[in-house]
Structures are given as structure tokens and as C-alpha cells.
């Protein structure tokens, strides 16, 4: 077997093109031993190898090796040659270096290859068995099932540009490669051609690629029998980038006539049907992992999982699990189901309690035969690495009435051997542990049915990966070395929460994760890839740096970035700021501050919580000198929502005193400027020159000092983690975004999130959808924000500005977001250049005045400034009525079609 390679690449001096691959001739994937090509005029590199007759196939890639030792590999999957496909032992190749635009790279994700443009086997293509043949190969992803890639050109084999008899190419199942061949005898050169798309049903060409014709000038072959392989790259779509549309909805918010007071996986399947009927092609949901820690409302927070792998039992359709044999019990559940299903909001504790009772009864009924089921055995074998510790954790959580494993006595430290023994079918704990195998098996089965259904409907199911885990979780118990359990993750102040956010998650020990090649993250993504074809990385900024909050703080204001490059006292002095620990790093408490915060209660506050140090200076008593101590005092024996207004005002005022500092200490002589320090009374009482110097330091620290450092951090983690899955990746890049983040996301083809009312550019008050980058998700709001209608009523001046300048409408803005206003805003989004426009269901429904809910403010899913918020929003409209909403559905279909979204 003789192969003559030829590739075009305009190199620089000191650069060489080589082939690295599977055979000894290619170095067996060792780049140092790769096969070096020879440079020829015109930027062509050529080389010839001879292989043994027994060689059946080769795999290879082109690489660029610089004299300085650096190596650049071309993009994409491994190239392959299967020699049984050729009619000759002599092959001439003419290939091109693979470096598609980022816009094209995302089309190789499973969102497209499994859903939008599924890689199914095509119809037959043209194939020549002549002694001398010309074989074409091209990578093309945007091809619908009824279409085939074809070639038109200046020869009869190509229809002489007529389009009636083009050369049809074919592809195999799961491949993006289209191939076809013609006889070379009698072929006049040069050959000019273009690729196109052929409709197999109408027998017509529906599209021809843009640009000048491709050319084959000559074929330098002299053998009597050979194959000339022309491998083209990148079909040139004339219509520009593909664009899609979708809807965002939490599973728990979906309402149906048969649900148990909360949306479940079967309801999600029905919701997908509705989305497909309107022409949309994505459904985005919130996290669906297990969060049950305390069996109360706090567990409704979907971003605080106790397992990053286990699914939440609340999303189970209990009827799909199987009926109870006891008609009395079944009828009782039916009555209670109807009561819960009539409620306006999700009654999380009661729904979970009801479903848990059902699980227990059904498990007791089925357990004798269940564990002999082959489907269960296959599930257990594939998932036991996480399933066994999870089930043991859930059992121990309930046994000790606490998710805090530190209080579990002999089980406080994870011991795999002990857990395996405890989980044995012969142990007395077996039933209490095995029921969780039973539940997870059915959840997995139901969600995979949704996944399969979604793909058949052409709907990309998009999941959500929370940035954190609960400190009382399976992962924290089994792999504590991967987390900083003595710290809390959160976010600095932003439009969502002016005092920052404290999520209560441990931060990651990235050094430990790196030593294990990020195996924890890879396993997590591989499991997620079983259910989803796209995912949202919650708070992608956390992969560059996380906002870490001391364990003694409650609010996010006392946080600092980790990793970061803290300042020393000497460095602070370089900016003209004379660092004084007492003045700048301890709470600055003066009489004026106390009077402002506490008014007539100031004297009482001083007596109970403070002590005077000088005539006009105070400090907090030791028992109240942290926000955690203060919070524990006020919440002693009561819940947050039970605080009186005056106690809440005093507590929050004391919180403010604790955070009234200019620098936060992160280590010996390591200082982090306190976020938003310019809003403190401590800053207000500085001299003008010190203020100016301090702000110069502040801006340098937050916006310049870390750019290269954080860039490198992101590039260490994200590429390694993303290799575990072929899902489409979207990053939630909101908040205080460093300049280094967008280039990294662009380099890695991670779609950004663009929200009209949250401009990322200071020169614009709003982020007009028309300015959205192509590789982005453009949306009106998120679960952490008010809906269009809710936002419209928040700030009259802002609404008026938006009405006149963003919508371009003169006159006074309507007081309420009328249906036509919501429609105009959503149409702006559909018309944007963004690859995806994904709109929350509340905002889509808002365009129909007769169908939307009249309780506007009740449609907001989360209030980020309230850590004890109850996640309970439930659609006012059922899936059944949504499907029958002809006016709304037709309007959505028309808007999507008019915008060119497919």
C-alpha cells in the first residue's frame, strides 16, 4: 500500500508539517517520531509512505512542529483510512488543514449531531469502481435527514452545473464525512465544482454553497490503477450561521392535570411536545439533582445538591413506577394528589412527603422480584460507584435526622469497606438502603425516556450544572480532599443582590482535582451526557476564580477572590495609601454610623452589642464580633421568616458594622480590598487624596492585576473538563466578568449568556439583542430575575428610558408591560444574531393578554438576595391548556419562522 500525501499550509520559518498516527511510519502517536512532510512551492507539503499489505486501516492527524519544540495539532477527530473502501493499493491525497471557524465547531456537539441534524445513514451515493477514480470527501454537519450532500460542476458527472443530475455523496451512521467517487478516465482538467444540498424527496437541489468554485488543477499520478482522494473541509453555507430558539422552564414549575402538585419527568415530555409544535428546538431546565437534606423548604433550592449524580425523587412520575395493589391505598393517594395539584404554588414539603410514602409502599410490594430484574442489574452495574455511597448517605441522613455527616458517629468519616458491608443484602439496613437503588433506577429510566423522546422531536434538552455542592453532601463525605470545607462560595455584589450572595457551598480544591486529572468533573459530565445534549455551566466565572466567603460571614461583602494575587502592606503603600490595620481592616464604628443605621434604637444597640473604645469609637463585643455570631443570636430557636421587623433591621445593621472595613485579610500580610468599599462610611470619612489613591488601587486590583493569572486558571480547568462530553456548552457569564473570560470562552467555543437588561459594556445602559455575539444564548431574563412584566413595573424612569431608546417608540411608556410590549421585546430577541434565543416560559406567555397570569410578581422563580427563598413557582397554565392556546402558539410559530430560526 502506497500513499502519497499532499496538504496546503502556509507556514512560517522554523515550522514543519508532520503526520502523527497509528503506524510505525507515523511514530505511533509519538509527535517526536511523526512522519515529516517536505515543503513544495505554493505552500504545499508532500510525502510518501509505503505500508505492509496486511495493513487494513490507519488513523492519523496533521501536526505543526516548531523548531522551539511547540506542537500544534489540527482541530477535530482523528482522520481514518479504511483500505477495503478503495479499489487500488495506490492512493494520492489532497487534504486541507482542519481549522474551522468557532461557529462551525459547535455544530459537532451532540446538540446538533444527535438532535438538530442527526447523523443518520444517508441514501446511496455515487461510487466508481474504475481503475482510476477520483474520490471526494467533505465534512458537513448541517444536513437534515431527508437531504444529501451533492456536487455540481463543469463535467457531466456533476450535471454540467445544471443541477438535474448532480453527484450524490453518502455518509455512514454517526459520521459527518460525506463521500462519493467518479471515474477519472476521460476527465478534462481543470475541474471546477461546488457542494450543494439535494432533497431526496423532491429530487431537487435546495442549496449551493457560496464562494468561488473549488478547483482541481491536475492529478499527478502515473500508475495504471490508483485513487485520488480529495478531502475538502467546511461546507460554505450561503445562509450564514444556523440559528435556533427555545424555552426555559424549571421541571417543578410545569403543571398538568395528572401531576402530584409538581412537575415531573412525564410532564417534561409533554412540555417538549408543546415546544416542538411551536417550531422551537430547545428546552432548558434548572438542576434536577437530589437536594434532600432536611426534608423542609430549604431543600427546594435546586443549586445545593447533596449528590451531583443522583436525581431528585420529587420529579418521579409515581404512576409510571407501577400501581399499588391495595386499592384503598391507591385511592387515598389519588385524593391527596388532587388536593396538591389544585394548589397555586408547589407545596414542596407535602409533595415530597406524599411521594416518599408511595415509594415506600411500592418498594415493599415489589422488592421480592425487583432485584432480579435484568434492567435493574444493568443499571446497578453501570452506576454502583456513585449509587452505593449515595444510598448509604441517604440512609444515614435519615437515621441521624441530619445531613451533617460529622455527627454520624462511626460513620462520620467515609470508609468504603464499612459502607459496602452495611449495604450488603444480608445486613439489617438493606431495605433502608436498597430503596434508594429502587428510586434512582426508576428516575433514570423515566429521564432517559424523556431524552429519547426529546431527540425524536428535534428538541435539544439542556441541563444545568451548579457551580457548587452542599457542604453536607455525598461528595463532601466521600472525597473531602477535593473541597475547601472551611470556606463558602458565593458571588460579589451585582444587580441580583447588592450585598453579594452567600451560597453556602464549599469551594473547590483545584490543586487536588488537577492531580487526579479532574476525574470528579469528568465523571459528572459523562453522567450528565446520558440525559442532555447541552448544558449550562452555572457561574462559569468560578472556573477562573471563585468568590470565597469566610465561614464566619453571612453576607457576601466580606468575601475575596480565590485564586487571587493579594496585596501586601508594602504594595498598598505603592499606591499612596498608608495602610493602617486598626483604621482600615477593623470595623469602623462611629456615633454617626450608629445613628444612621439604628436611629432611635442606637443607644439600646450600643448597650447590648458594642463597647466604647474612645469618645467617638466603638467595637463589637467578642460574642457579637462576626456576622455568624450575630445571626445565631437572632435566629436562636426561630426561622429567618419569623424574625420581627425590628430584629431584622437591627441584625442587618450589625451585619453592616462588621463589614464596614476597607481591606479583608486573607493571610499573613495578604490583603484584599473589600468589594464596594467606596459605599462604606469608613471610606466616606477618608481624605480626598486617600480616597483617590484607594480607588486607583481598587480599580487596578479588580480590573487589571489578575487578567493573565485568571486567564491561565480558566485554561487549565475548562479544556480538561470539557473533553469528557460532546454536549453543547453554554456559560453563565454574568456579574463581575474579568476581561480575560470572553477570550477563553471564545477559544473553547463556550456560548455566552446575553441579557438585555444586564449590559456587559459600561458604555451601554442595556444590551440590545442586535449586538449579541453569534456564539451566545440571548434571553430576556433568568430564574434569578423578575420577568419582563415584573421588571417593567419596578422602576418607572428606567422603563421609560427603555421604551424610548431600546424599543424606539416615542411618547409615554404604558404603566404595565402590555402584550404588544412583551411581543416587541421578544421579537427583538428572535431577530438577534445570536445562535440561540431561549426565553423563559413566563415571558413567552406574556405576549397573550387573554392567556397570561394576572399575578405578575408571583412569576419570579428566585430572589437571590434571600438565601431562604422558597423555590415554588408553578405555571398558572397547564400543559393541556397550553397546547390548546391556538392564538399564542400560532403567534410564536410565526415569530420564529419570520426570524429565520429553524
Amino acid at each position: 500500500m502506497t500513499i502519497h500525501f499532499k496538504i496546503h499550509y502556509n507556514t512560517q520559518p522554523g515550522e514543519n508539517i508532520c503526520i502523527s498516527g497509528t503506524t510505525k511510519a507515523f511514530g505511533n502517536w509519538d509527535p517526536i517520531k511523526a512522519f515529516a512532510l517536505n515543503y513544495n512551492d505554493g505552500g504545499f507539503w508532500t510525502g510518501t509512505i509505503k505500508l505492509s499489505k496486511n495493513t487494513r486501516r490507519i488513523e492519523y492527524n496533521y501536526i505543526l512542529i516548531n523548531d522551539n519544540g511547540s506542537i500544534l495539532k489540527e482541530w477535530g477527530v482523528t482522520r481514518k483510512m479504511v483500505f477495503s473502501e478503495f479499489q487500488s493499493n495506490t492512493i494520492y491525497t489532497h487534504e486541507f488543514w482542519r481549522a474551522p471557524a468557532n461557529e462551525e465547531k459547535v455544530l459537532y456537539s451532540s446538540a446538533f449531531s444527535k438532535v438538530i441534524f442527526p447523523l443518520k445513514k444517508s441514501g446511496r451515493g455515487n461510487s466508481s469502481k474504475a481503475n482510476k477514480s477520483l474520490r471526494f470527501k467533505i465534512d458537513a454537519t448541517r444536513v437534515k435527514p431527508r437531504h444529501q450532500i451533492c456536487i455540481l460542476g463543469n463535467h457531466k458527472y456533476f450535471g454540467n452545473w445544471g443541477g438535474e443530475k448532480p453527484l450524490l455523496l453518502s455518509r455512514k451512521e454517526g459520521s459527518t464525512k460525506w463521500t462519493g467517487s467518479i471515474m477519472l478516465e476521460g476527465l478534462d482538467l481543470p475541474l471546477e465544482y461546488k457542494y450543494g444540498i439535494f432533497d431526496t424527496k423532491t429530487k431537487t437541489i435546495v442549496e449551493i454553497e457560496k464562494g468561488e468554485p473549488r478547483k482541481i488543477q491536475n492529478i499527478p499520478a502515473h500508475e495504471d490503477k490508483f485513487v485520488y482522494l480529495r478531502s475538502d473541509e467546511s461546507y460554505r453555507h450561503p445562509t450564514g450561521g444556523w440559528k435556533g430558539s427555545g424555552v426555559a422552564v424549571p421541571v417543578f414549575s410545569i403543571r398538568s392535570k395528572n401531576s402530584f402538585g409538581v412537575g415531573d419527568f412525564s410532564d417534561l415530555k409533554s412540555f417538549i411536545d408543546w415546544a416542538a409544535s411551536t417550531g422551537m428546538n430547545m428546552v432548558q431546565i434548572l438542576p434536577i439533582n437530589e437536594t434532600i437534606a432536611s426534608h423542609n423548604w430549604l431543600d427546594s433550592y435546586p443549586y445545593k445538591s447533596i449528590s451531583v449524580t443522583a436525581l431528585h425523587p420529587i420529579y418521579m412520575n409515581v404512576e409510571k413506577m407501577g400501581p399499588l395493589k391495595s386499592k384503598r391505598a391507591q385511592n387515598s393517594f389519588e385524593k391527596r394528589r388532587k388536593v396538591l395539584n389544585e394548589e397555586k404554588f408547589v407545596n414542596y414539603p407535602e409533595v415530597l412527603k406524599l411521594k416518599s410514602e408511595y415509594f415506600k409502599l411500592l418498594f415493599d410490594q415489589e422488592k421480592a422480584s425487583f432485584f432480579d430484574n435484568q434492567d435493574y442489574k444493568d443499571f446497578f452495574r453501570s452506576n454502583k460507584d456513585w449509587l452505593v455511597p449515595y444510598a448509604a448517605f441517604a440512609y444515614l441522613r435519615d437515621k441521624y435526622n441530619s445531613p451533617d455527616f460529622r455527627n454520624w458517629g462511626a460513620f462520620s468519616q467515609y470508609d468504603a469497606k464499612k459502607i459496602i458491608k452495611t449495604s450488603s443484602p444480608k445486613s439489617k439496613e438493606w431495605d433502608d438502603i436498597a430503596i434508594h437503588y429502587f428510586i434512582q433506577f426508576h428516575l433514570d429510566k423515566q429521564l432517559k425516556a424523556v431524552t429519547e423522546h426529546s431527540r425524536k422531536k428535534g428538541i435539544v434538552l439542556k441541563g444545568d450544572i451548579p457551580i457548587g455542592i452542599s457542604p453536607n453532601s455525598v461528595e463532601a463525605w466521600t472525597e473531602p480532599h477535593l473541597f475547601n470545607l472551611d470556606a463558602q462560595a458565593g458571588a460579589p455584589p451585582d444587580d441580583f443582590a447588592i450585598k453579594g450572595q452567600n451560597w453556602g457551598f464549599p469551594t473547590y480544591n483545584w490543586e487536588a482535582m488537577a492531580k487526579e486529572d479532574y476525574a470528579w468533573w469528568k465523571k459528572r459530565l459523562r453522567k450528565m451526557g446520558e440525559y442532555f445534549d447541552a448544558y449550562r455551566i452555572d457561574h462559569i466565572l468560578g472556573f477562573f476564580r471563585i468568590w470565597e466567603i469566610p465561614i464566619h460571614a453571612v453576607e457576601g461583602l466580606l468575601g475575596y477572590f480565590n485564586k487571587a494575587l493579594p496585596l501586601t502592606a508594602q504594595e498598598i503603600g505603592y499606591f499612596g495609601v498608608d495602610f493602617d490595620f486598626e483604621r482600615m481592616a477593623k470595623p469602623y464604628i462611629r456615633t454617626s454610623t450608629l445613628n444612621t443605621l439604628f436611629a432611635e434604637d442606637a443607644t439600646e444597640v450600643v448597650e447590648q452589642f458594642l463597647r466604647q473604645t474612645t469618645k467617638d469609637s466603638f467595637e463589637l463585643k467578642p460574642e457579637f464580633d462576626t456576622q455568624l455570631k450575630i445571626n445565631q443570636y437572632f435566629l436562636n430557636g426561630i426561622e429567618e421568616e419569623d424574625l420581627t421587623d425590628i430584629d431584622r433591621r437591627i441584625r442587618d445593621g450589625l451585619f453592616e458594622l462588621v463589614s464596614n472595613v476597607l481591606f479583608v485579610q486573607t493571610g499573613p500580610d495578604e490583603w484584599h480590598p473589600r468589594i464596594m468599599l467606596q459605599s462604606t462610611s469608613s471610606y466616606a470619612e477618608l481624605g480626598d487624596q486617600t480616597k483617590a489613591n484607594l480607588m486607583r488601587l481598587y480599580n487596578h486590583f479588580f480590573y487589571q492585576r489578575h487578567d493573565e493569572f485568571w486567564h491561565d486558571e480558566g485554561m487549565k480547568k475548562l479544556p480538561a473538563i470539557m473533553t469528557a462530553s460532546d454536549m453543547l456548552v453554554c456559560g453563565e457569564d454574568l456579574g463581575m466578568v474579568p476581561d480575560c473570560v470572553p477570550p477563553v470562552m471564545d477559544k473553547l467555543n463556550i456560548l455566552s449568556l446575553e441579557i438585555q437588561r444586564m449590559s456587559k459594556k459600561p458604555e451601554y445602559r442595556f444590551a440590545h439583542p442586535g449586538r449579541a455575539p453569534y456564539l451566545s444564548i440571548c434571553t430576556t431574563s433568568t430564574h434569578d430575575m423578575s420577568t419582563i412584566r415584573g421588571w417593567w413595573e419596578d422602576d418607572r424612569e428606567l422603563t421609560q428610558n427603555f421604551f424610548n431608546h431600546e424599543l424606539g417608540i416615542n411618547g409615554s411608556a404604558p404603566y404595565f408591560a402590555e402584550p404588544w410590549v412583551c411581543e416587541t421585546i421578544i421579537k427583538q430577541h428572535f431577530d438577534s444574531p445570536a445562535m440561540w434565543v431561549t426565553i423563559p416560559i413566563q415571558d413567552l406567555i406574556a405576549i397573550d393578554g387573554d392567556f397570561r397570569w394576572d399575578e405578575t410578581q408571583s412569576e419570579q422563580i428566585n430572589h437571590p438576595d434571600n438565601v431562604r427563598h422558597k423555590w415554588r413557582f408553578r405555571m398558572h397554565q397547564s400543559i393541556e391548556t397550553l397546547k390548546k392556546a391556538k392564538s399564542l402558539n400560532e403567534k410564536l410559530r410565526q415569530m420564529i419562522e419570520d426570524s429565520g430560526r429553524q
Side-chain angles (χ1 to χ4, degrees), residues 13-82:
E15 296 178 338
N16 299 279
I17 300 297
C18 303
I19 302 177
S20 180
T22 51
T23 70
K24 183 179 180 181
F26 294 150
N28 287 317
W29 293 116
D30 182 348
I32 304 301
K33 299 177 181 178
F35 177 66
L37 300 180
N38 300 308
Y39 179 75
N40 294 270
D41 292 339
F44 288 99
W45 291 78
T46 61
T48 299
I49 65 165
K50 293 187 177 182
L51 301 172
S52 164
K53 292 181 179 180
N54 298 325
T55 306
R56 297 182 178 181
R57 59 184 285 160
I58 57 171
E59 297 184 10
Y60 64 99
N61 280 114
Y62 291 98
I63 59 175
L64 183 148
I65 301 180
N66 199 299
D67 285 349
N68 64 15
S70 66
I71 298 173
L72 174 66
K73 176 179 174 292
E74 64 175 342
W75 186 85
V77 298
T78 302
R79 296 177 186 261
K80 296 180 179 65
M81 277 193 198
V82 180

Side-chain angles (χ1 to χ4, degrees), residues 642-662:
D642 297 326
L643 265 182
T644 64
D645 289 342
I646 187 171
D647 279 352
R648 179 173 283 104
R649 183 168 61 82
I650 292 174
R651 183 201 62 175
D652 293 352
L654 292 170
F655 282 175
E656 191 161 334
L657 291 182
V658 174
S659 63
N660 194 23
V661 296
L662 300 177

Side-chain angles (χ1 to χ4, degrees), residues 252 259-264 297 312-316 318 333 336-337 339-341 343 345-359 874:
F252 61 77
S259 56
F260 268 59
V262 67
D264 60 34
W297 271 108
H312 203 305
I314 204 166
Y315 298 120
M316 184 87 79
V318 296
F333 275 103
R336 294 159 70 190
R337 180 196 70 79
V339 172
L340 285 171
N341 213 28
E343 294 201 22
F345 299 103
V346 176
N347 189 336
Y348 180 90
E350 289 302 313
V351 169
L352 191 58
K353 180 181 177 182
L354 178 62
K355 289 196 173 186
S356 296
E357 290 178 18
Y358 195 97
F359 300 152
R874 198 165 179 224

Side-chain angles (χ1 to χ4, degrees), residues 420-662:
I420 290 173
K421 182 178 180 181
T422 305
S423 304
S424 166
K426 297 179 181 180
S427 71
K428 64 180 185 298
E429 298 91 353
W430 168 249
D431 275 8
D432 293 330
I433 291 175
I435 189 173
H436 299 289
Y437 303 160
F438 176 74
I439 293 169
Q440 289 299 317
F441 166 78
H442 282 286
L443 285 166
D444 177 81
K445 181 179 179 180
Q446 290 187 12
L447 183 53
K448 282 182 176 173
V450 176
T451 304
E452 183 180 357
H453 181 76
S454 186
R455 288 172 178 165
K456 286 181 180 178
K457 285 288 185 177
I459 294 289
V460 175
L461 190 58
K462 180 183 176 185
D464 194 329
I465 294 187
I467 187 62
I469 63 165
S470 170
N472 301 321
S473 63
V474 181
E475 288 77 24
W477 182 45
T478 58
E479 301 179 275
H481 67 289
L482 297 179
F483 310 95
N484 299 317
L485 294 168
D486 57 350
Q488 307 169 95
D494 57 20
D495 291 345
F496 293 146
I498 59 173
K499 291 189 176 183
Q501 300 177 50
N502 184 348
W503 301 324
F505 309 146
T507 56
Y508 294 110
N509 182 345
W510 287 112
E511 288 79 7
M513 288 188 161
K515 288 178 181 178
E516 299 178 7
D517 194 25
Y518 304 100
W520 185 86
W521 278 99
K522 291 178 179 179
K523 285 188 292 185
R524 186 179 184 185
L525 282 175
R526 279 194 289 268
K527 185 61 182 176
M528 195 157 187
E530 295 181 17
Y531 306 125
F532 302 102
D533 289 304
Y535 65 96
R536 167 188 179 271
I537 301 179
D538 172 45
H539 194 65
I540 195 172
L541 306 183
F543 287 86
F544 297 81
R545 82 291 184 276
I546 198 74
W547 191 247
E548 190 168 275
I549 302 165
I551 206 73
H552 57 71
V554 174
E555 298 175 330
L557 290 171
L558 290 173
Y560 41 83
F561 286 124
N562 185 6
K563 292 182 172 181
L565 302 171
L567 296 161
T568 64
Q570 185 178 33
E571 283 182 287
I572 294 172
Y574 292 156
F575 287 87
V577 177
D578 185 14
F579 182 70
D580 180 343
F581 174 80
E582 292 292 328
R583 173 66 181 83
M584 297 180 170
K586 293 186 69 174
Y588 183 76
I589 307 174
R590 298 294 184 268
T591 302
S592 58
T593 307
L594 296 173
N595 289 335
T596 300
L597 289 174
F598 304 109
E600 67 274 8
D601 299 309
T603 300
E604 182 181 340
V605 168
V606 169
E607 290 179 358
Q608 187 169 359
F609 301 100
L610 304 170
R611 62 187 182 193
Q612 195 163 5
T613 55
T614 67
K615 182 178 180 181
D616 191 39
S617 299
F618 301 84
E619 66 180 11
L620 289 151
K621 294 179 179 178
E623 59 267 36
F624 302 112
D625 61 1
T626 70
Q627 290 184 344
L628 180 61
K629 291 177 182 179
I630 293 166
N631 206 42
Q632 289 173 338
Y633 171 80
F634 280 91
L635 295 183
N636 185 22
I638 64 171
E639 299 292 339
E640 172 78 23
E641 48 267 33
D642 297 326
L643 265 182
T644 64
D645 289 342
I646 187 171
D647 279 352
R648 179 173 283 104
R649 183 168 61 82
I650 292 174
R651 183 201 62 175
D652 293 352
L654 292 170
F655 282 175
E656 191 161 334
L657 291 182
V658 174
S659 63
N660 194 23
V661 296
L662 300 177

Side-chain angles (χ1 to χ4, degrees), residues 254-390:
I254 304 174
R255 180 187 292 271
S256 74
K257 66 179 182 180
N258 293 320
S259 56
F260 268 59
V262 67
D264 60 34
F265 289 147
S266 294
D267 293 328
L268 179 57
K269 184 185 290 187
S270 187
F271 187 87
I272 285 167
D273 289 339
W274 169 78
S277 73
T278 64
M280 288 185 275
N281 31 38
M282 177 179 280
V283 170
Q284 175 180 328
I285 62 175
L286 294 185
I288 51 175
N289 291 106
E290 158 82 282
T291 62
I292 302 171
S294 307
H295 297 279
N296 58 29
W297 271 108
L298 290 177
D299 298 344
S300 69
Y301 182 22
Y303 286 89
K304 197 171 186 178
S305 61
I306 66 157
S307 168
V308 298
T309 311
L311 300 172
H312 203 305
I314 204 166
Y315 298 120
M316 184 87 79
N317 181 316
V318 296
E319 292 179 351
K320 295 285 185 183
M321 295 178 76
L324 298 174
K325 292 178 181 178
S326 168
K327 291 185 178 181
R328 181 178 179 182
Q330 190 72 44
N331 291 337
S332 173
F333 275 103
E334 178 62 17
K335 289 179 182 178
R336 294 159 70 190
R337 180 196 70 79
K338 288 181 178 179
V339 172
L340 285 171
N341 213 28
E342 290 299 317
E343 294 201 22
K344 185 182 292 186
F345 299 103
V346 176
N347 189 336
Y348 180 90
E350 289 302 313
V351 169
L352 191 58
K353 180 181 177 182
L354 178 62
K355 289 196 173 186
S356 296
E357 290 178 18
Y358 195 97
F359 300 152
K360 174 60 175 170
L361 290 174
L362 189 64
F363 175 74
D364 289 343
Q365 174 183 299
E366 304 291 331
K367 64 183 179 182
S369 60
F370 172 76
F371 295 103
D372 292 327
N373 180 288
Q374 189 58 48
D375 288 343
Y376 163 74
K377 289 180 178 179
D378 293 341
F379 167 76
F380 184 83
R381 184 172 56 253
S382 300
N383 296 276
K384 63 181 179 181
D385 286 350
W386 67 265
L387 185 60
V388 171
Y390 158 73

Side-chain angles (χ1 to χ4, degrees), residues 720-768:
I721 291 166
M722 289 169 59
T723 59
S725 163
D726 63 352
M727 291 182 284
L728 178 68
V729 189
C730 313
E732 186 262 296
D733 56 335
L734 304 178
M736 197 173 180
V737 184
D739 289 343
C740 64
V741 172
V744 170
M745 292 179 64
D746 186 61
K747 190 180 299 183
L748 301 177
N749 313 310
I750 300 174
L751 276 61
S752 64
L753 179 62
E754 308 297 324
I755 302 176
Q756 189 167 20
R757 65 182 100 151
M758 289 188 69
S759 175
K760 295 175 180 176
K761 297 182 178 180
E763 62 266 31
Y764 296 115
R765 176 62 188 85
F766 299 102
H768 194 284

Side-chain angles (χ1 to χ4, degrees), residues 153-213:
N154 64 348
H155 193 276
K156 65 179 181 180
Y157 293 141
F158 304 144
N160 287 316
W161 292 114
E164 295 180 2
K165 293 185 178 181
L167 179 76
L168 294 180
L169 307 187
S170 64
R171 73 171 174 200
K172 297 178 180 178
E173 183 84 19
S175 175
T176 61
K177 311 290 184 184
W178 294 82
T179 61
S181 59
I182 59 173
M183 181 173 65
L184 265 172
E185 293 286 353
L187 190 67
D188 295 329
L189 298 174
L191 189 65
E192 295 187 352
Y193 64 99
K194 283 188 174 185
Y195 291 98
I197 294 180
F198 183 79
D199 190 314
T200 58
K201 289 189 177 181
T202 62
K203 307 299 181 184
T204 59
I205 294 175
V206 296
E207 178 182 286
I208 301 175
E209 66 176 348
K210 66 181 180 181
E212 294 296 316

